[in-house]
Amino acid sequence: MAKEVVKTAEEVISEAGKYLSVEDTEFIRRAYKYAEWAHREQFRKSGEAYIVHPIQVAGILVDMKMDAETVAGGFLHDVVEDTEVTIEEIEEKFNHEVAMLVDGVTKLGKIKYKSKEVQQAENHRKMFVAMAKDIRVILIKLADRLHNMRTLKHLRPEKQRRISNETLEIFAPLAHRLGMSAIKWELEDTALRYLNPQQYYRIVHLMKQKRAEREQYIDQVINQITDELNSVDIAADIFGRPKHLYSIYRKMTKQNKQFNEIYDLLAVRVLVDSIKDCYAVLGIIHTLWKPMPGRFKDYIAMPKPNLYQSLHTTVIGPKGEPLEVQIRTKEMHEIAEYGIAAHWAYKEGKQVVKGKDSFEEKLTWFKEILDWQNETSDAEEFMESLKLDLFSDMVYVFTPKGDVYELPSGSVPLDFAYKIHTEIGNKTIGAKVNGKMESLDYKLKNGDIIEMMTSKHSYGPSQDWLKLTKTSQAKNKIRQFFKRQKREENIAKGKELVEKEIRNDGLEPKDVLTTDNIQTVLDKFSFATLDDLYAAAGYQGISAALVATRLSDKILKKKEKEQLAEAVMEEKKQETAKQQRKSSLHRKDSGVIVEGVDNLLVRLAKCCNPVPGDDIVGFITKGRGVSVHRADCPNVNLEEDDERFLSVRWKNSETNTKQYHLDLEITGFNRRGLLNEVLQVVNEMKTTMTQINGRTDRNKMAVFHITVLINDTEHLRKIVDHLKQIKDVYTVRRTVQ
């Protein structure tokens, strides 16, 4: 990959001054100065000043010879997203047009979404809707993405892969649909470099190995064509075009071929002055070498919907191998490289949109984006529809009058009918394909001539058409029909479906359909009334199960919490009753004998919780008998009040069946499942736990305090040993109050 040339702001402005007026040049200089101020303390991951990125984006737009507002938008495209500057300030300091372009490429960063995927889909939806209103939004976004891909090496590998994948899914196909092949190829090749670096560098290496041989071959071909064209006085620019890495990679993977099995690694491109010369060159090429059957395409007589025009032919070249030749005018070449951007050319300081009517007509699919936006409230569903209709493989079919229409691969005659007009789709009763009646589920093929059969007495679409059709446009228009024609029926049907789903969740509709729940769902799916929601569920515009889930969500979560709380309370009750039974058995017997004294009230001190095996002392309290402490209890001082101390000892283990409360502190690394493992160990030791609490700190340290019932110190030692064997437990110690 060629080393990127980093332009300075002055170089970009100077280049713009070659085709913009003095006033426009000063306008974009002002935009640069403002962006430089806004990004003054920001840096990119590479360590360079952030302003370098907007300068390069503006530079790419200047290479396309974009108008002053678009270039200014390139300089300013990140100021709202990454600084404190607002859209209102942009509009005030520049104009409404620049503010609208900047807003179109600004991500929805200040709104919280349930996942990154949803946020990404919402960002894309915002961009595409803005693009449908002004195509220059996407030109700025493509320039932004192109420079980001050129500098992707500075990011983490997982982010490189995520951005590259998004580039292949969204931005490269979009560049293709806009006819911007120069940008499309660079985006695809760079994305491949990060998604499959082994194959990328392998193809680069293999192409380098035979570069000299290929260059010699292509020079031979160019010389032969040049000599023939000179002999008939046709002026032409002829050059070789190496196959792009990503197209080689796709051919290797899709056709399961090895590199040495791909012969059309090179193509020859011939640029001439007129359409007449294009066909003359084609004739000369076909006299020089034998054309391959079925490999000639005339995109001049029948341009692609993205405005691309050229003649393509594949011939058996001098070495007996296939050689692709592309023939076009220089103006066609400009459009082939920069597509829609070429229609915003500047000549003598005036913006010229070439072939405006044709331009608008061929890009009506942008306007359809607004229809999809209005028909679905789910951003992810919107993006899936967009990918299906705009970025899938296409078929080209004809009306009986010869008009060409482009549809996604897999489309049926109904998709074609709704593409022409809504009423033709709604009144369809059949279809003729190439003069022969075909079923409505017939898969259209390239070159098919379609004639739709309609009847004014038709009852309209069938619900089954939603399953037959491929395009979002057709599906949306069918849904609109049912929504408009059968509203009352759909409301009743939708209500029935939603209530059925609610009952399937084990709930009663009257408990679920509260004012708060209904309003939450209406807001979520952008419906004005409950009837609108029911109607949508009735005509399958939205899933009844999804509506029921949204309505029941809060109640089900509350029910789960209540059930969990009841289970916990019941467990606590059982545990308390169990402890009370044990306490009643041992209340009168502390398990301690006071030397030389009988019938004294003896209790174990709660501050240190002594257990059999501990060294203990007795302490005479006022009105509460003898309190028994561990000898090392911090509350015991044998030097003071020594006359109040008594000699005490534990009963032997054979006659002492009492269990004793004991406090333990466990510390460890706060990982998922640590507490569960502590509880499991206590349970396996057949030990009753009467209390537990814990906390964590910012260093991810967890501290649990538990109270357990034990028999003696030997029993305690076994419990401690087992707790210490738990992974990530650092300490287990006995505590005193």
Side-chain angles (χ1 to χ4, degrees):
M1 190 172 288
K3 183 174 173 60
E4 184 202 355
V5 177
V6 179
K7 297 179 180 178
T8 65
E10 279 308 315
E11 287 172 338
V12 172
I13 295 168
S14 173
E15 194 67 30
K18 293 177 182 177
Y19 69 90
L20 291 177
S21 66
V22 174
E23 292 80 9
D24 284 343
T25 306
E26 189 53 38
F27 182 77
I28 67 169
R29 183 185 296 279
R30 201 153 52 82
Y32 159 66
K33 290 293 184 186
Y34 190 74
E36 184 183 39
W37 170 81
H39 293 297
R40 61 193 177 280
E41 295 177 354
Q42 294 179 326
F43 296 89
R44 303 192 84 206
K45 293 284 185 185
S46 61
E48 64 189 2
Y50 193 91
I51 190 63
V52 172
H53 170 63
I55 291 170
Q56 306 317 303
V57 171
I60 293 168
L61 294 168
V62 166
D63 289 342
M64 299 180 200
K65 294 191 167 39
M66 296 305 297
D67 60 294
E69 279 78 11
T70 310
V71 177
F75 278 126
L76 298 165
H77 76 278
D78 272 341
V79 295
V80 173
E81 186 176 326
D82 293 335
T83 76
E84 298 301 315
V85 174
T86 65
I87 289 293
E88 291 72 25
E89 289 170 339
I90 295 289
E91 184 165 355
E92 182 184 336
K93 292 184 182 297
F94 297 94
N95 58 38
H96 174 72
E97 215 170 332
V98 173
M100 183 272 298
L101 294 174
V102 172
D103 186 44
V105 294
T106 299
K107 292 178 185 173
L108 302 164
K110 295 180 174 63
I111 303 174
K112 297 289 184 185
Y113 294 96
K114 65 182 181 182
S115 70
K116 283 187 177 179
E117 290 74 18
V118 173
Q119 181 165 10
Q120 190 82 316
E122 289 286 2
N123 283 328
H124 285 148
R125 170 152 73 171
K126 177 177 184 284
M127 179 186 71
F128 276 103
V129 171
M131 176 185 77
K133 294 173 183 173
D134 193 317
I135 198 67
R136 292 172 296 173
V137 168
I138 202 60
L139 300 182
I140 296 173
K141 190 63 188 176
L142 283 171
D144 171 52
R145 178 51 60 111
L146 183 60
H147 183 251
N148 281 335
M149 291 301 291
R150 287 173 178 173
T151 56
L152 207 56
K153 62 185 177 185
H154 301 291
L155 300 182
R156 300 188 310 275
E158 62 270 19
K159 200 164 185 182
Q160 290 173 345
R161 288 190 293 272
R162 179 178 62 75
I163 292 172
S164 296
N165 200 50
E166 181 189 39
T167 298
L168 280 185
E169 278 193 354
I170 303 289
F171 294 101
L174 186 57
H176 173 66
R177 288 304 302 268
L178 296 173
M180 304 171 75
S181 61
I183 288 178
K184 169 188 181 273
W185 289 121
E186 187 175 349
L187 288 175
E188 287 182 337
D189 285 358
T190 314
L192 177 63
R193 177 182 174 186
Y194 294 102
L195 288 173
N196 197 334
Q198 293 86 0
Q199 282 284 44
Y200 173 86
Y201 287 110
R202 176 171 172 263
I203 293 170
V204 169
H205 175 69
L206 290 169
M207 289 188 76
K208 279 181 179 177
Q209 281 184 329
K210 294 189 176 182
R211 177 181 291 172
E213 183 183 328
R214 281 199 308 274
E215 287 177 351
Q216 184 181 0
Y217 171 61
I218 215 73
D219 287 343
Q220 178 188 344
V221 169
I222 290 172
N223 290 335
Q224 268 187 274
I225 297 173
T226 302
D227 290 343
E228 291 293 329
L229 296 186
N230 286 340
S231 67
V232 291
D233 293 327
I234 294 178
D237 295 331
I238 309 171
F239 50 91
R241 181 187 68 83
K243 200 86 169 175
H244 292 277
L245 301 175
Y246 185 72
S247 64
I248 296 172
Y249 169 75
R250 282 193 69 187
K251 187 165 282 192
M252 288 171 67
T253 51
K254 278 196 167 187
Q255 299 178 13
N256 198 24
K257 288 186 174 182
Q258 293 299 314
F259 183 83
N260 56 12
E261 296 178 285
I262 299 173
Y263 295 106
D264 53 341
L265 291 175
L266 282 175
V268 172
R269 189 171 285 154
V270 183
L271 305 184
V272 293
D273 295 324
S274 67
I275 292 176
K276 181 184 74 174
D277 287 346
C278 289
Y279 289 99
V281 170
L282 177 69
I284 290 168
I285 297 293
H286 284 181
T287 56
L288 279 174
W289 300 290
K290 186 176 180 181
M292 291 181 67
R295 296 295 297 271
F296 168 64
K297 292 173 184 173
D298 187 345
Y299 294 120
I300 293 179
M302 196 174 70
K304 288 185 178 182
N306 65 8
L307 314 176
Y308 177 87
Q309 288 184 287
S310 187
L311 296 176
H312 289 195
T313 186
T314 303
V315 297
I316 303 299
K319 292 187 175 181
E321 294 177 354
L323 172 71
E324 184 184 350
V325 182
Q326 299 175 354
I327 309 161
R328 62 182 72 145
T329 67
K330 289 167 185 174
E331 187 177 4
M332 289 174 191
H333 181 63
E334 182 186 359
I335 294 171
E337 290 292 292
Y338 289 111
I340 202 169
H343 289 264
W344 291 87
Y346 259 65
K347 293 188 178 177
E348 297 178 0
K350 292 187 177 180
Q351 181 184 330
V352 179
V353 180
K354 303 172 189 172
K356 190 173 189 304
D357 293 338
S358 171
F359 172 76
E360 292 291 338
E361 181 186 334
K362 288 176 185 278
L363 293 169
T364 52
W365 51 274
F366 275 136
K367 304 305 176 188
E368 292 168 10
I369 291 171
L370 290 175
D371 294 336
W372 302 335
Q373 150 73 10
N374 294 331
E375 280 300 311
T376 177
S377 57
D378 189 302
E380 291 177 289
E381 182 186 336
F382 171 79
M383 283 310 300
E384 286 307 311
S385 298
L386 197 68
K387 288 179 190 177
L388 177 69
D389 283 13
L390 300 189
F391 306 147
S392 59
D393 292 334
M394 311 306 286
V395 293
Y396 300 91
V397 295
F398 298 87
T399 66
K401 292 182 178 179
D403 296 326
V404 64
Y405 282 86
E406 179 190 53
L407 291 163
S409 180
S411 293
V412 298
L414 286 169
D415 293 299
F416 174 77
Y418 280 105
K419 182 84 172 176
I420 297 171
H421 196 278
T422 303
E423 280 309 300
I424 291 177
N426 288 342
K427 298 295 182 183
T428 290
I429 57 171
K432 280 186 180 179
V433 180
N434 303 324
K436 177 185 171 188
M437 287 296 295
E438 293 285 358
S439 63
L440 292 179
D441 63 354
Y442 169 85
K443 297 287 189 294
L444 299 178
K445 299 180 182 65
N446 276 321
D448 281 344
I449 300 171
I450 318 296
E451 182 182 356
M452 300 309 300
M453 318 298 292
T454 61
S455 169
K456 62 181 178 180
H457 302 297
S458 166
Y459 290 107
S462 158
Q463 286 279 4
D464 290 337
W465 288 10
L466 288 168
K467 297 175 185 174
L468 289 181
T469 48
K470 174 85 171 178
T471 63
S472 297
Q473 182 185 19
K475 291 180 189 294
N476 286 333
K477 288 181 176 179
I478 293 166
R479 290 188 185 115
Q480 284 173 2
F481 175 87
F482 290 118
K483 180 179 180 180
R484 186 174 59 252
Q485 298 295 105
K486 301 182 179 181
R487 180 171 170 79
E488 293 303 319
E489 183 183 328
N490 284 326
I491 289 172
K493 183 180 177 182
K495 183 178 181 183
E496 181 184 342
L497 289 170
V498 170
E499 290 185 353
K500 181 181 177 183
E501 292 293 342
I502 290 171
R503 289 191 181 96
N504 287 343
D505 288 335
L507 300 172
E508 281 300 316
K510 62 182 178 62
D511 298 329
V512 173
L513 295 167
T514 63
T515 304
D516 287 345
N517 283 346
I518 291 170
Q519 194 56 52
T520 300
V521 175
L522 292 180
D523 292 343
K524 167 68 182 172
F525 295 111
S526 303
F527 288 107
T529 67
L530 183 58
D531 280 353
D532 291 339
L533 181 66
Y534 282 149
Y539 66 76
Q540 297 178 17
I542 189 171
S543 161
L546 180 59
V547 173
T549 299
R550 297 291 187 196
L551 285 167
S552 308
D553 195 36
K554 285 184 181 177
I555 294 176
L556 289 174
K557 284 181 179 176
K558 185 179 177 183
K559 200 172 181 181
E560 285 177 10
K561 284 183 180 178
E562 287 173 352
Q563 289 173 344
L564 182 61
E566 285 175 11
V568 170
M569 287 299 294
E570 184 59 32
E571 190 175 339
K572 282 185 177 179
K573 282 181 184 176
Q574 291 176 4
E575 188 60 41
T576 302
K578 186 176 177 182
Q579 294 307 319
Q580 286 173 346
R581 287 195 299 273
K582 287 186 177 181
S583 296
S584 64
L585 289 173
H586 302 297
R587 188 175 292 119
K588 293 179 182 178
D589 185 6
S590 64
V592 174
I593 298 171
V594 181
E595 297 288 354
V597 183
D598 290 328
N599 299 323
L600 268 179
L601 177 63
V602 177
R603 67 180 184 83
L604 301 177
K606 293 190 181 298
C607 59
C608 56
N609 285 335
V611 298
D614 287 334
D615 291 334
I616 53 177
V617 294
F619 185 78
I620 300 172
T621 61
K622 295 177 181 178
R624 297 174 64 190
V626 177
S627 175
V628 177
H629 293 258
R630 280 164 47 193
D632 59 355
C633 176
N635 294 326
V636 171
N637 190 336
L638 293 175
E639 294 179 1
E640 296 179 11
D641 300 324
D642 56 348
E643 71 277 2
R644 295 175 64 183
F645 282 99
L646 295 173
S647 178
V648 293
R649 62 181 174 82
W650 296 104
K651 288 182 179 180
N652 64 54
S653 58
E654 295 173 3
T655 58
N656 187 8
T657 57
K658 177 179 171 59
Q659 286 193 309
Y660 300 85
H661 286 82
L662 185 130
D663 297 322
L664 290 176
E665 181 185 83
I666 304 163
T667 63
F669 174 69
N670 182 31
R671 63 169 168 82
R672 187 188 296 271
L674 178 62
L675 178 57
N676 285 339
E677 291 182 32
V678 169
L679 297 178
Q680 188 177 347
V681 165
V682 173
N683 187 52
E684 287 174 354
M685 294 298 294
K686 295 184 172 53
T687 301
T688 301
M689 183 164 59
T690 61
Q691 187 176 342
I692 180 168
N693 60 68
R695 68 177 190 279
T696 60
D697 61 22
R698 66 179 61 184
N699 297 319
K700 292 198 171 182
M701 284 292 292
V703 180
F704 304 122
H705 288 100
I706 66 173
T707 302
V708 292
L709 291 175
I710 68 162
N711 301 325
D712 52 29
T713 51
E714 180 60 24
H715 186 194
L716 170 63
R717 184 187 61 75
K718 290 178 182 177
I719 294 171
V720 172
D721 287 346
H722 280 75
L723 288 172
K724 284 183 175 179
Q725 289 174 22
I726 298 173
K727 182 185 174 185
D728 294 324
V729 166
Y730 301 150
T731 64
V732 181
R733 70 184 187 90
R734 186 173 170 183
T735 59
V736 294
Q737 296 178 357

